[in-house]
Amino acid sequence: LPYVCDFEDPMHNWVFVNGTGNNKWIVDPATNNGGTHALYVSNDDGVHNAYDGNNSCYIWAYRDIFFPACTNGYNLSFDWRGEGESNYDYLLVYFGEPAQPTAGTTLSVPTGVDCISENLNQSTNYQTFTAELPGQNNDGIRRLYFLWRNDASVQNDPAAAIDNIAIRMIQCPAPVNVYAYAIGIDSAILNWTEIGEANAWNLHYKANNASSWTTINDVERPYVLTGLQQGTTYSFYIESN
């Protein structure tokens, strides 16, 4: 790490488990979110980012990555798109031990592998997926998997496409257990738990009906927030500085 892949290098080292159906993972120039290439599902050997909706399939793409020890965990992000059909055609992301997945018409998830996404579909435009990968017990080779699934009914192109994958160690983890207490007419005490090494934080807050956030930098913990309006609901978040 950091691991960055935009699929412009032909030596990308992604492995495809496509089975015998028409739908296959491929790296080619039918779509991209920058550059010329992306990883996507195609039913015509990469000419189009489309899928055969007449035949059900589960097909996999995976990559082995070395993870150095990092207590704070790792951040995964990538750009994706894919329309698909409602709850039947979608992309899923898995992470875990290196194990051999199997393509076919039924789902078979390898042992030691966890799903880290909801169903990703219903988007013809690229958007960014982000997730935190756990740091504990991930020192060594781990495998990142993408699964495309479709049933044998409605076909809504495009199929899944992925670009600009990045995995980085988290050096400054987000605070956790954020809460407010001692709420008065115009004030509240805010507190949180620091799981990294920060000793100063930035506070962002706003009334829920406001369009912009107010920022106070370098606050200490706990923080007494004053100047609030009576009878108003507020939101706030904390970032480690």
Side-chain angles (χ1 to χ4, degrees), residues 15-235:
V15 179
F16 308 136
V17 182
N18 286 323
T20 60
N22 292 333
N23 298 328
K24 300 182 185 300
W25 285 106
I26 196 166
V27 174
D28 251 336
T31 183
N32 63 78
N33 196 34
T36 60
H37 288 66
L39 168 66
Y40 56 91
V41 174
S42 176
N43 62 358
D44 54 12
D45 295 321
V47 177
H48 298 97
N49 176 206
Y51 68 103
D52 179 1
N54 295 315
N55 296 281
S56 62
C57 74
Y58 291 85
I59 56 175
W60 298 82
Y62 68 81
R63 175 69 151 84
D64 288 347
I65 302 165
F66 178 78
F67 284 76
C70 180
T71 302
N72 297 330
Y74 316 87
N75 179 262
L76 163 69
S77 68
F78 60 86
D79 300 333
W80 71 275
R81 76 167 191 176
E83 180 64 20
E85 179 200 2
S86 183
N87 296 319
Y88 304 100
D89 310 335
Y90 48 79
L91 170 70
L92 286 173
V93 188
Y94 289 81
F95 178 75
E97 298 291 334
Q100 185 60 39
T102 303
T105 57
T106 58
L107 177 60
S108 177
V109 178
T111 302
V113 177
D114 296 316
C115 185
I116 60 171
S117 76
E118 58 187 8
N119 296 349
L120 302 179
N121 63 358
Q122 305 288 283
S123 178
T124 58
N125 297 318
Y126 279 96
Q127 54 186 291
T128 301
F129 172 89
T130 61
E132 287 191 12
L133 306 177
Q136 300 295 334
N137 303 319
N138 274 329
D139 181 11
I141 298 294
R142 295 295 180 268
R143 184 167 288 180
L144 178 64
Y145 305 77
F146 293 114
L147 170 69
W148 168 256
R149 184 267 190 195
N150 67 263
D151 68 352
S153 59
V154 177
Q155 176 178 334
N156 291 330
D157 290 323
I162 296 163
D163 206 354
N164 305 317
I165 303 171
I167 305 176
R168 296 179 172 88
M169 291 189 293
I170 298 175
Q171 303 295 343
C172 187
V176 298
N177 302 327
V178 180
Y179 64 99
Y181 65 99
I183 299 173
I185 293 176
D186 61 355
S187 66
I189 300 177
L190 313 180
N191 209 344
W192 52 93
T193 300
E194 171 62 31
I195 61 174
E197 299 179 356
N199 53 26
W201 301 266
N202 300 331
L203 164 67
H204 307 266
Y205 74 97
K206 74 178 185 71
N208 284 1
N209 60 1
S211 59
S212 60
W213 295 83
T214 297
T215 299
I216 305 175
N217 293 321
D218 296 326
V219 302
E220 296 182 348
R221 176 173 63 95
Y223 184 77
V224 181
L225 180 61
T226 60
L228 305 178
Q229 297 298 313
Q230 182 177 359
T232 302
T233 304
Y234 287 83
S235 297

